[in-house]
């Protein structure tokens, strides 16, 4: 980060609590991984934290902001006030009863009040205004989590050049689940306002990409998506903990030491199973209790020998599903203790409240099993904290549905819904020889220490700076209308020219059926004229079948032809086609065609086009909305079906094309540029997603032209193929200033 860069953190809650007290305000800082990670960066950059104070009263009372500034020694905390009713609908409503259950795969717990989305918008807007009041052009703005998904775009509209990053702490669900969300399109557009969007795991990132495609029709690359003439980077950046803080407590804190000794005595003859969670239905507490009951029933020798300490920190108590959960957990604990307790043994020690850090750390250190089995979790820091604090004798039993599972392979991974298997695994963990326990724990500890929260924060900001810098280098905003005079003059001045032209939708209008789009005589003459000057290298880069391209354009000598997106080429000056094939396996084709046939039946008027290396489903002739809807469904099915292959499905202009990943127009352009890198005029025109691969090979100074509307990385646009033909005609006229070209009537 450069010295003038300042960090602005925006999160739903400010990391402080404010209570009114006689003569002023009582302010206490909250602890937690995020605060720990942000603190050094905020300090280093003299940064700001913008957030809502939650329950605190005192909106409009200036003494509150003054008190917090005095406490922080400067204006480091910016309070966002939200009126009570809006706050309820925004926070308890849309955030915690709509987004939260859905993103954690609990659609049955989703409840949606139509007033809550406008309130969510309003709350996001209040955050936006607060940020705008303080933001400077050089700042890095880091927006956190699901409560603020509209904020990046709101900020982008107000500050088009701002550097904005977004991190989602919770899972991003499969697009099948995400599509159930009222407000889904706005939320996607909202986060796309950022330069960098980061997730806890690759799986979440993939789900997000799939939602972009299936809900917004946006194609993305592995880590990038084009939107509104900008590119947005996407990353998986798993959050870590601050291991030093835990180590410090263990090594030097007397209170922690006392608790450790106390627990050592208390659990002397027993094995300690330990869980700590917010009391949330995603954390799998009832399932854990059921598993424990099963264990005690089926492994009677463990009775009296194990204790489960379950800490459940009260959370969101005003939401009905949480109140129900609380009752359910109380009942279950009562039942288990009622059934199995003896005068000197209680199987479950249940605390419905938080404990102090020293107590928590002492329990982590002593526990024989860290039982961390959420039904779904973005990351789960408890798993990492347990590993950081344990003395090496313990075993981590971790849900495979927590984001942490992706990095913690040495844990015993379980499916928490499978009670019998999980109970077996707990038993195995208890029986595991001590050296194996140590080996696993050491490997885990090394990773937790290495991938700590400081690295996570640094990495996020580095990536954000990079993403914003590459946006700034790109020409700003939407493509501008191509200035004919400027391009013709550049063409005229050039010593060597490359012209890369797509055919359908670029040189010729679309027709109902692909075979009806044969080029007109004047168009052929125009291409002939264009390719005549010796300094011109004209390439026709099409996705069509080789037969079509050969039949239609084979007669024009000097033109380079590429068919099937470059699977076949006819180089400059050659009459022979070359097959640029790296793998001949077309095994996937019959299965795909079988599927497409079902889609043809469902959408009368649609049709299948089979090429040598690809297959296309065209739906131009179907009902437009139904066609789009089916195309999204088809892509979703194909994504799963082809996940193990190098074949992918791409949305084209009213078609879905299925082809090997290695075939794309970018490759053709790369080869042409390699051979003719000295060309000082480079022009490319195309109209659909497959042409973006062409544009990607060219640099910002080149003449890249998108034909028609749509997301593009091209610098310019032209409204339709007639304009492209008119431009090419101008080119040919520029070469023969005094003579009208033969193709003047195209
Ligand atoms: C969200 C995502 C993601 C808990 N009880 C006590 C206590 N804690 C502390 C733990 C830990 C934190 O609370 C809980 O963090 P988690 O990661 O487990 O869960 P969420 O609150 O749901 O957080 C989650 C996280 O964001 C970060 O990105 O991992 O997936 O849902 O630090 O130590 N601390 C004290 N007493 C307690 O009783 N002192």
């Amino acid at each position: 980060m450069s010295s003038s860069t300042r960090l602005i953190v925006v999160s739903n809650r400010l990391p402080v609590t404010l209570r009114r007290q006689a003569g002023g305000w009582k302010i206490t800082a909250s602890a937690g991984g995020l605060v720990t990670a942000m603190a050094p960066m905020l300090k280093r950059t003299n940064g700001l934290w913008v957030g809502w104070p939650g329950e605190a009263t005192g909106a409009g009372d200036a003494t509150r902001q003054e008190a917090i500034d005095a406490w922080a020694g400067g204006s480091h905390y910016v309070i966002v006030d939200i009126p009570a009713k809006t706050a309820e609908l925004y926070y308890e409503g849309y955030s915690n009863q709509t987004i939260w259950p859905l993103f954690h795969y609990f659609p049955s717990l989703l409840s949606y009040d139509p007033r809550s989305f406008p309130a969510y918008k309003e709350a996001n807007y209040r955050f936006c205004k607060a940020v705008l009041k303080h933001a400077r052009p050089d700042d890095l703005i880091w927006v956190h989590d699901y409560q603020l998904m509209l904020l990046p775009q709101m900020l982008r509209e107000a500050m088009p050049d701002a550097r904005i990053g977004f991190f989602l702490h919770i899972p991003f669900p499969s697009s099948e689940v995400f599509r159930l969300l009222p407000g889904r399109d706005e939320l996607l557009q909202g986060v796309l306002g950022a330069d960098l969007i980061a997730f806890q795991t690759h799986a979440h990132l993939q789900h997000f990409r799939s939602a972009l495609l299936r809900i917004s029709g946006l194609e993305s690359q592995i880590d990038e998506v084009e939107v509104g003439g900008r590119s947005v980077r996407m990353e998986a950046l798993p959050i870590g903990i601050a291991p030093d803080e835990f180590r410090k407590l263990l090594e030097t804190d007397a209170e922690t030491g006392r608790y450790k000794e106390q627990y050592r005595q208390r659990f002397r003859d027993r094995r300690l199973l330990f869980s700590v969670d917010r009391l949330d239905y995603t954390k799998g507490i009832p399932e854990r209790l059921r598993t424990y009951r099963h264990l005690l029933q089926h492994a009677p020798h463990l009775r009296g020998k194990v204790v489960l300490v379950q800490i459940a920190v009260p959370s969101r108590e005003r939401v009905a599903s949480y109140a129900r959960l609380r009752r359910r957990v109380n009942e279950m604990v009562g039942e288990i203790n009622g059934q199995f307790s003896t005068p000197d043994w209680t199987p479950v020690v249940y605390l419905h409240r938080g404990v102090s850090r020293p107590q928590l750390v002492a329990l982590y250190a002593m526990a024989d099993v860290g039982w961390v089995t959420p039904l779904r979790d973005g990351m789960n820091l408890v798993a990492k904290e347990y590993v950081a604090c344990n003395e090496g004798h313990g075993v981590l039993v971790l849900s495979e549905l927590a984001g942490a599972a992706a990095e913690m392979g040495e844990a015993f991974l379980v499916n928490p819904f499978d009670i019998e298997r999980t109970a077996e695994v707990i038993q195995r963990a208890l029986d595991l020889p001590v050296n194996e326990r140590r080996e696993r724990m050491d490997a885990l500890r090394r990773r937790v220490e290495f991938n700590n929260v400081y690295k996570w924060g640094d990495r996020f900001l580095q990536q954000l700076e990079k993403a914003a810098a590459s946006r700034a280098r790109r020409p700003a905003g939407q493509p501008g209308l191509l200035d004919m005079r400027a391009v013709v003059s550049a063409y005229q001045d050039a010593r060597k020219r490359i012209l890369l032209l797509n055919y359908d939708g670029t040189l010729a209008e679309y027709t109902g059926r692909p075979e009806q789009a044969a080029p007109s005589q004047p168009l052929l003459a125009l291409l002939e004229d264009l390719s005549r000057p010796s300094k011109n290298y004209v390439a026709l880069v099409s996705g069509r079948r080789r037969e079509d391209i050969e039949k239609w354009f084979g007669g024009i000598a000097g033109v380079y032809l590429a068919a099937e997106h470059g699977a076949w080429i006819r180089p400059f000056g050659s009459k022979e086609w070359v097959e640029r094939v790296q793998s001949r396996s077309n095994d996937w084709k019959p299965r795909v065609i079988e599927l497409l046939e079902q889609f043809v039946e469902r959408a009368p008027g649609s049709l299948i086009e089979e090429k040598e290396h690809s297959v296309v489903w065209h739906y131009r002739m179907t009902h437009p909305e139904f066609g789009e809807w089916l195309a999204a469904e088809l892509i979703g099915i194909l994504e799963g079906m082809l996940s193990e292959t190098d074949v992918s499905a791409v949305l084209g202009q009213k078609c879905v094309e299925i082809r090997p990943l290695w075939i794309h127009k970018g490759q053709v352009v790369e080869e042409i540029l390699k051979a003719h890198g000295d060309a000082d005029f480079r022009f490319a025109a195309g109209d659909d997603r497959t042409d973006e691969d062409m544009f990607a090979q060219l640099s910002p100074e080149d003449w890249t032209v998108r034909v028609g509307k749509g997301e593009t990385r091209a610098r310019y646009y032209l409204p339709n193929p007639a304009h492209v033909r008119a431009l090419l005609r101008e080119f040919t006229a520029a070469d023969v200033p005094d003579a009208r070209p033969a193709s003047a009537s195209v």
Side-chain angles (χ1 to χ4, degrees):
M1 258 191 272
S2 80
S3 54
S4 64
T5 299
R6 187 178 64 159
L7 173 62
I8 299 187
V9 174
V10 196
S11 70
N12 172 54
R13 288 297 294 269
L14 267 183
V16 290
T17 47
L18 295 133
R19 295 262 173 276
R20 218 191 260 283
Q21 65 176 20
W25 292 90
K26 181 172 173 352
I27 298 163
T28 7
S30 336
L34 189 60
V35 187
T36 314
M38 298 294 121
M41 297 183 206
L42 287 169
K43 199 163 166 200
R44 194 167 69 224
T45 68
N46 203 19
L48 287 181
W49 195 314
V50 180
W52 178 50
E55 303 272 324
T57 49
D61 178 346
T63 65
R64 197 183 43 163
Q65 186 71 54
E66 282 162 17
I68 204 168
D69 291 350
W71 175 81
S75 49
H76 296 295
Y77 296 93
V78 175
I79 297 176
V80 179
D81 277 311
I82 305 174
K85 187 65 201 162
T86 309
E88 187 188 327
L89 287 163
Y90 147 72
Y91 181 65
E92 268 138 14
Y94 194 73
S95 297
N96 286 335
Q97 295 193 64
T98 307
I99 301 182
W100 177 272
L102 201 67
F103 279 33
H104 288 87
Y105 295 79
F106 284 88
S108 59
L109 293 183
L110 178 150
S111 117
Y112 177 63
D113 177 340
R115 292 170 308 165
S116 69
F117 191 62
Y120 182 86
K121 257 193 214 163
E122 186 197 325
N124 273 245
Y125 188 59
R126 284 174 175 264
F127 280 88
C128 178
K129 280 196 298 198
V131 175
L132 293 178
K133 215 159 131 193
H134 293 86
R136 299 193 299 235
D138 256 0
D139 292 339
L140 290 171
I141 305 174
W142 185 348
V143 179
H144 288 268
D145 227 0
Y146 65 102
Q147 301 93 347
L148 299 175
M149 293 180 83
L150 299 177
L151 181 58
Q153 181 58 24
M154 289 177 174
L155 290 170
R156 175 71 56 211
E157 274 161 27
M159 295 178 70
D161 298 325
R163 304 192 284 176
I164 307 165
F166 177 81
F167 185 82
L168 185 68
H169 288 259
I170 67 173
F172 193 93
S174 144
S175 57
E176 266 316 296
V177 170
F178 179 75
R179 73 194 309 171
L180 306 177
L181 183 74
R184 60 194 187 182
D185 308 80
E186 287 97 324
L187 247 53
L188 289 179
Q189 290 310 314
V191 287
L192 286 171
D195 290 305
L196 170 69
I197 305 173
F199 302 88
Q200 301 273 25
T201 70
H202 279 284
H204 303 156
L205 193 163
Q206 288 311 327
H207 289 321
F208 179 71
R209 289 184 58 206
S210 159
L212 287 181
L213 180 61
R214 301 183 67 184
I215 287 150
S216 306
L218 282 176
E219 296 250 7
S220 55
Q221 320 281 289
I222 289 174
D223 57 359
E224 204 181 29
V225 57
E226 285 292 310
V227 57
R230 292 182 299 121
S231 73
V232 177
R233 279 189 68 81
M234 297 173 288
E235 276 271 340
L237 286 175
I239 194 171
I241 60 163
D244 52 325
E245 299 213 333
F246 290 93
R247 212 177 313 121
K248 203 162 72 198
L249 284 176
L250 280 167
E251 287 167 5
T252 60
D253 181 55
E255 195 186 351
T256 308
R258 277 198 298 280
Y259 277 120
K260 261 175 67 183
E261 197 40 44
Q262 186 185 325
Y263 299 142
R264 198 189 314 278
Q265 289 303 324
R266 164 114 196 251
F267 300 111
R268 200 177 38 228
D269 305 320
R270 303 200 158 113
R271 310 290 296 279
L272 172 60
L273 311 174
F274 179 55
S275 296
V276 52
D277 317 84
R278 272 186 310 101
L279 186 55
D280 193 298
Y281 49 83
T282 61
K283 301 290 182 182
I285 300 172
E287 287 70 14
R288 192 176 302 139
L289 291 170
R290 226 175 287 143
T291 304
Y292 188 52
R293 180 163 55 199
H294 183 93
L295 183 72
L296 296 178
Q297 270 162 353
H298 292 84
H301 65 281
L302 291 177
R303 295 183 200 161
K305 298 277 185 286
V306 292
V307 174
L308 169 63
V309 173
Q310 168 73 64
I311 296 173
V313 186
S315 179
R316 304 175 193 168
E317 294 193 295
R318 294 205 300 237
V319 177
S321 48
Y322 287 74
R324 278 200 302 276
L325 175 72
R326 176 183 175 173
R327 286 196 295 277
R328 177 88 195 101
V329 170
N330 278 340
E331 273 167 27
M332 291 182 80
V333 170
E335 280 164 20
I336 296 172
N337 283 344
Q339 186 180 352
F340 294 101
S341 288
T342 61
D344 59 359
W345 172 60
T346 309
V348 187
V349 174
Y350 175 60
L351 278 73
H352 179 237
R353 60 185 155 80
V355 295
S356 68
R357 264 273 174 109
Q359 264 176 301
L360 179 68
V361 166
L363 283 162
Y364 282 147
M366 303 311 300
D368 297 282
V369 173
W371 192 342
V372 186
T373 46
L375 304 181
R376 199 62 73 161
D377 218 328
M379 175 54 58
N380 194 301
L381 296 178
V382 168
K384 295 189 171 179
E385 293 169 5
Y386 172 61
V387 164
C389 298
N390 192 258
E391 295 187 333
H393 61 286
V395 180
L396 174 63
V397 175
L398 176 63
S399 165
E400 59 194 36
L401 304 168
E407 306 168 73
M408 302 186 90
E410 294 82 359
F412 279 165
L413 297 182
V414 294
N415 167 7
F417 291 97
D418 189 341
I419 282 162
E420 291 179 4
R421 251 269 314 120
T422 306
E424 273 168 37
V425 169
I426 296 285
Q427 236 182 302
R428 264 185 58 211
L430 288 168
D431 292 343
L432 201 68
V434 70
N435 53 347
E436 198 180 326
R437 275 186 260 158
R438 281 200 187 279
E439 265 170 37
R440 285 172 180 256
M441 202 44 108
D442 286 349
L444 287 170
R445 185 177 312 105
R446 275 195 296 276
R447 204 166 312 123
V448 164
E449 288 192 357
F450 188 73
N451 293 326
N452 57 49
V453 75
Y454 308 109
K455 267 211 181 124
W456 169 80
D458 286 341
R459 183 90 206 277
F460 184 93
L461 293 183
Q462 270 165 19
Q463 293 299 96
L464 172 54
E465 284 195 303
K466 254 211 233 138
S470 75
R471 168 175 53 75
R473 277 196 303 275
R474 288 260 310 271
Q478 299 288 348
L481 182 64
L482 180 67
D483 177 344
M484 293 267 205
R485 237 186 287 161
V487 65
V488 171
S489 140
Y491 174 90
Q492 218 163 3
D493 294 344
R495 289 183 308 278
K496 180 168 178 177
R497 308 152 177 157
I498 289 180
L499 294 109
L500 305 159
L501 306 169
N502 171 44
Y503 177 61
D504 292 275
T506 301
L507 294 180
E509 284 75 6
Y510 283 104
T511 55
R513 304 182 73 83
E515 65 275 14
Q516 292 166 344
S520 64
Q521 229 12 74
L523 176 60
L524 291 171
L526 172 60
L527 289 174
E528 192 121 21
D529 287 346
L530 194 65
S531 62
R532 198 165 295 127
S534 59
K535 53 170 123 168
N536 282 10
Y537 290 80
V538 179
L540 201 74
V541 187
S542 169
R544 274 190 178 264
R545 296 184 312 173
R546 178 170 57 116
E547 288 85 332
D548 294 341
I549 298 295
E550 170 64 28
K551 185 170 72 199
W552 292 342
F553 303 102
I556 312 177
V559 177
Y560 178 112
L561 300 176
E564 288 205 27
H565 305 101
W568 289 95
I569 56 164
R570 197 191 74 172
F572 289 114
S574 165
K575 284 242 162 271
E576 299 302 320
W577 283 89
V578 183
E579 193 177 16
R580 291 170 58 264
V581 177
Q582 297 171 5
S583 113
R584 284 193 153 270
S585 166
N586 277 339
D587 299 352
W588 53 274
K589 265 178 142 188
R591 277 188 303 147
V592 167
I593 291 175
E594 205 177 303
L595 175 69
L596 296 188
E597 278 162 356
Q598 291 169 21
F599 276 73
V600 169
E601 264 170 43
R602 288 168 71 182
S606 72
L607 57 97
I608 301 170
E609 181 190 5
E610 187 178 353
K611 308 183 198 175
E612 277 166 84
H613 296 290
S614 59
V615 187
V616 191
W617 178 62
H618 292 273
Y619 59 91
R620 185 169 296 276
M621 305 289 275
T622 63
H623 182 278
E625 264 176 36
F626 187 52
E628 300 297 344
W629 190 80
L630 279 183
E633 186 185 328
L634 174 61
I635 286 189
I637 299 173
L638 287 168
E639 228 174 29
M641 189 167 160
L642 302 170
S643 61
E644 301 290 304
T645 69
D646 65 351
V647 177
S648 77
V650 184
L651 200 60
Q653 291 283 18
K654 305 279 178 209
C655 66
V656 174
E657 175 139 21
I658 303 102
R659 63 181 146 94
L661 288 166
W662 53 268
I663 303 184
H664 59 83
K665 293 179 178 176
Q667 286 210 346
V668 177
V669 174
E670 198 184 341
E671 278 173 27
I672 295 178
L673 290 180
K674 219 188 269 167
H676 302 282
D678 54 337
D680 51 352
F681 177 83
R682 299 163 185 207
F683 176 92
D687 74 301
D688 76 5
R689 166 68 193 83
T690 67
D691 300 314
E692 295 295 318
D693 296 330
M694 254 191 338
F695 302 148
Q697 294 296 326
L698 295 167
S699 45
E701 307 76 54
D702 293 329
W703 299 91
T704 45
V705 183
R706 161 89 183 202
V707 183
K709 287 207 188 83
E711 285 302 333
T712 183
R713 61 190 315 144
R715 210 167 134 204
Y716 305 104
Y717 78 93
L718 280 174
N720 55 44
H723 285 80
V724 182
R725 295 193 298 262
L727 173 65
L728 300 186
R729 217 160 51 223
E730 293 288 330
F731 285 163
T732 56
D735 278 329
V736 196
D738 302 323
R740 297 302 299 158
S743 54
S745 61
V746 178

